[in-house]
Amino acid sequence: MPSVAFYTLGCKVNFYDTEAVWQLFKNEGYEQVDFETTTADVYLINTCTVTNTGDKKSRQIIRRAIRRNPDAIIAVTGCYAQTSPAEILAIEGVDLVIGTQDRDKLMGYIRDLQNERKPVNAVRNIMKTREFEELDVPDFAERTRAFLKIQEGCNNFCTFCIIPWSRGLSRSRDPKSVLDQARQLVDAGYKEIVLTGIHTGGYGDDMENYRLSDLLWDLDAIEGLERIRISSIEASQIDDKMIEVLNKSAKMCRHLHIPLQAGHNDVLKRMRRKYTVEEFAEKIRLLHEAMPGVAITTDVIVGFPGETEEMFRNGYDFMEKLRFAEMHVFPYSKRTGTPAARMEDQVDEEVKNERVHQLIDLSERMQLQYAERYVGQVLDVIPERGLKGPDGESRVMGYSDNYIQIAFDGAESLIGQLCRVKIAEAGVNECQGVLVRVLEEHTPAAERAATAVRAEEAKRKPLPQALQA
């Protein structure tokens, strides 16, 4: 049986794409083997180009694959492959570069290479692509949450970002295809689906009268689906229809990841973001109103060109007032080929690192404060993996619908089941809980959601001053 080994760098979308490509190999009779420990007949490296470091790491992994088996077919896909195919083909031993489209043709290229070893550059101009690449993933190894890619590309062209050049312009997956795959995932036993894409909230921008909010209502109607989570959405994409579905659907998770990137209008303008801090705060206020207890997580870039100490301090205070449940903090990193890399007033690396540490400390403090609100409350958790307790007892870990990671005593047979768990102790990255009971399959999602909302409203604390109308 021929074998294939994968190595994936970068974001969740890349990991989804690797799973999709694995289905192609599986259909051709391949077995998947470990990249690090087993010699494979084909190595496929799914690359990242979001930073210059991503390019460098991608090259290192490609060379590692070539060393592992010089006779193997080396195929390279992903964002770095899309933007720099010639650079990759210049590495001695690379057989195929295929980018972020046309991966349905991958097996044909592999068969051709088995007959004649002649390096192939299969990369086309991504900016001319208007169709969503249809690749199904019917199941995910060792995962209790299923990812469902609904969108590709981005039209925003933020000044720090190379992604539109590696993924192309925004294009949406056909709604029927999304719903068919969602049903397939539910039939395979998944209770939670995470909708993902490069610019997920832009779903429907290229379609007539059908937006992400419409898709969410159609997903809400799928029998057996317990939870719908959106991987990320922009503040500018949260309109009245989105607020309504978050407020009324029993299946929408009380967790939204909304990238802020900077807490000062001057910096946002230089980044070419599509909102002001005032508009962002208003959207957050509306979300708290529509979805009591919602966990809002965010991304922040620190030390963007032109960010002064005063801008940083103002941004810090703004983030603290918004009470995020968690922040992913990144120092600004120059990306060759982007406008921001050519800007004057680049911030000193030491200053950047100092600011990053301050925001990470703030994030951990807010994360703990958010978790502490739920001590003594009962939340629904789907365990994802087993743990060993200090005395060797069986424990499991999973996420509540509002994205609190909770560990509690229980057998691994609970993995993938919907459990009701009482929070006993809050922590920064992990809370400790006690299993109350395992929910029956037939307990209606609406009934559980109503219970959760009532509990939340009973204990709800007033919003911070900055969020009150």
Side-chain angles (χ1 to χ4, degrees):
M1 185 185 282
S3 59
V4 59
F6 296 97
Y7 196 105
T8 307
L9 298 107
C11 65
K12 283 191 174 79
V13 176
N14 257 13
F15 280 86
Y16 179 95
D17 290 345
T18 298
E19 290 278 358
V21 169
W22 159 234
Q23 303 300 323
L24 302 177
F25 278 93
K26 189 157 72 171
N27 293 341
E28 295 278 335
Y30 278 75
E31 68 166 332
Q32 186 177 160
V33 297
D34 185 72
F35 185 93
E36 302 292 357
T37 59
T38 315
T39 304
D41 300 311
V42 178
Y43 287 88
L44 187 128
I45 299 95
N46 195 351
T47 59
C48 175
T49 194
V50 75
T51 63
N52 292 345
T53 312
D55 290 1
K56 185 181 173 186
K57 181 82 190 287
S58 296
R59 288 193 296 273
Q60 288 172 346
I61 299 301
I62 292 164
R63 290 192 176 99
R64 195 191 301 174
I66 294 164
R67 285 196 301 272
R68 289 205 57 75
N69 182 6
D71 296 328
I73 289 172
I74 308 294
V76 184
T77 186
C79 290
Y80 178 44
Q82 182 65 46
T83 57
S84 309
E87 216 170 273
I88 293 169
L89 276 173
I91 300 171
E92 187 74 33
V94 172
D95 295 291
L96 173 65
V97 185
I98 200 164
T100 56
Q101 58 186 332
D102 298 331
R103 285 175 287 203
D104 54 340
K105 299 172 185 168
L106 186 65
M107 301 316 297
Y109 286 121
I110 298 285
R111 283 191 292 274
D112 291 345
L113 284 162
Q114 284 162 342
N115 296 326
E116 185 187 4
R117 291 295 281 274
K118 195 175 170 186
V120 177
N121 179 353
V123 176
R124 288 188 298 117
N125 182 351
I126 195 78
M127 287 302 174
K128 292 182 179 176
T129 299
R130 295 290 178 272
E131 296 295 314
F132 181 88
E133 181 184 50
E134 281 287 348
L135 292 172
D136 270 6
V137 183
D139 64 82
F140 294 81
E142 300 168 21
R143 283 190 184 273
T144 55
R145 280 184 287 166
F147 288 80
L148 179 46
K149 184 175 168 183
I150 63 169
Q151 183 277 342
E152 178 66 274
C154 182
N155 298 345
N156 275 9
F157 294 92
C158 298
T159 56
F160 54 81
C161 187
I162 199 78
I163 293 306
W165 306 105
S166 64
R167 290 280 180 173
L169 298 175
S170 185
R171 41 211 195 275
S172 307
R173 188 171 187 173
D174 177 73
K176 184 181 182 302
S177 172
V178 175
L179 297 168
D180 285 348
Q181 199 186 341
R183 289 187 197 96
Q184 194 178 357
L185 290 165
V186 170
D187 289 345
Y190 293 97
K191 291 181 171 64
E192 180 178 328
I193 287 177
V194 184
L195 302 177
T196 190
I198 294 297
H199 196 58
T200 315
Y203 181 85
D205 285 352
D206 53 343
M207 295 194 291
E208 289 283 324
N209 304 318
Y210 194 86
R211 292 289 180 268
L212 180 58
S213 50
D214 300 303
L215 179 68
L216 294 174
W217 280 123
D218 286 343
L219 286 165
D220 179 88
I222 293 177
E223 193 73 34
L225 178 58
E226 302 281 354
R227 287 182 182 175
I228 305 161
R229 201 182 291 276
I230 306 168
S231 63
S232 182
I233 188 168
E234 294 288 337
S236 55
Q237 293 160 338
I238 297 168
D239 57 12
D240 292 346
K241 286 186 173 180
M242 180 58 67
I243 294 279
E244 185 182 22
V245 71
L246 293 172
N247 178 246
K248 293 182 178 173
S249 167
K251 297 184 181 183
M252 291 304 303
C253 287
R254 290 179 300 160
H255 167 234
L256 290 167
H257 186 79
I258 310 172
L260 171 63
Q261 304 302 13
H264 194 281
N265 286 338
D266 289 357
V267 183
L268 289 172
K269 195 173 180 181
R270 287 164 73 88
M271 288 178 164
R272 210 186 284 149
R273 302 291 286 170
K274 293 183 174 179
Y275 49 83
T276 62
V277 289
E278 292 81 10
E279 288 163 348
F280 191 95
E282 175 59 12
K283 290 291 170 76
I284 301 301
R285 186 189 71 78
L286 291 170
L287 287 169
H288 278 288
E289 205 174 77
M291 218 178 205
V294 64
I296 295 171
T297 57
T298 197
D299 294 330
V300 181
I301 295 172
V302 179
F304 189 77
E307 181 188 74
T308 64
E309 185 62 30
E310 186 187 1
M311 289 174 189
F312 171 73
R313 292 301 339 153
N314 288 348
Y316 182 102
D317 294 343
F318 177 72
M319 292 168 211
E320 192 169 29
K321 282 174 187 164
L322 288 192
R323 279 194 324 181
F324 289 112
E326 187 182 1
M327 301 193 299
H328 300 160
V329 183
F330 308 92
Y332 168 71
S333 165
K334 271 190 188 180
R335 185 64 191 85
T336 309
T338 60
R342 300 188 293 273
M343 286 179 180
E344 293 175 3
D345 303 328
Q346 297 284 334
V347 177
D348 181 77
E349 292 300 318
E350 280 185 30
V351 173
K352 269 189 230 175
N353 289 336
E354 172 57 31
R355 291 177 185 174
V356 164
H357 287 303
Q358 288 183 49
L359 282 185
I360 288 172
D361 289 346
L362 173 62
S363 173
E364 290 187 350
R365 199 164 76 245
M366 291 194 294
Q367 202 176 347
L368 185 61
Q369 285 168 354
Y370 182 78
E372 281 172 342
R373 293 171 60 189
Y374 291 90
V375 172
Q377 287 203 44
V378 175
L379 299 174
D380 289 354
V381 178
I382 301 177
E384 294 188 3
R385 58 187 172 87
L387 304 167
K388 277 280 174 277
D391 300 321
E393 70 273 25
S394 286
R395 289 172 67 74
V396 288
M397 186 285 290
Y399 287 91
S400 62
D401 78 306
N402 58 338
Y403 213 59
I404 296 176
Q405 183 169 288
I406 303 166
F408 57 96
D409 289 349
E412 286 197 7
S413 58
L414 292 175
I415 290 172
Q417 296 200 59
L418 202 57
C419 301
R420 196 152 269 180
V421 179
K422 186 173 185 176
I423 307 276
E425 184 187 332
V428 172
N429 292 313
E430 183 181 275
C431 294
Q432 304 306 313
V434 178
L435 177 65
V436 176
R437 66 187 176 99
V438 180
L439 288 166
E440 263 81 39
E441 293 283 335
H442 61 264
T443 309
E447 180 193 314
R448 290 197 302 279
T451 306
V453 169
R454 280 197 298 274
E456 174 58 41
E457 285 176 340
K459 190 157 180 174
R460 194 175 171 197
K461 295 182 180 176
L463 289 173
Q465 203 65 39
L467 299 185
Q468 289 176 9

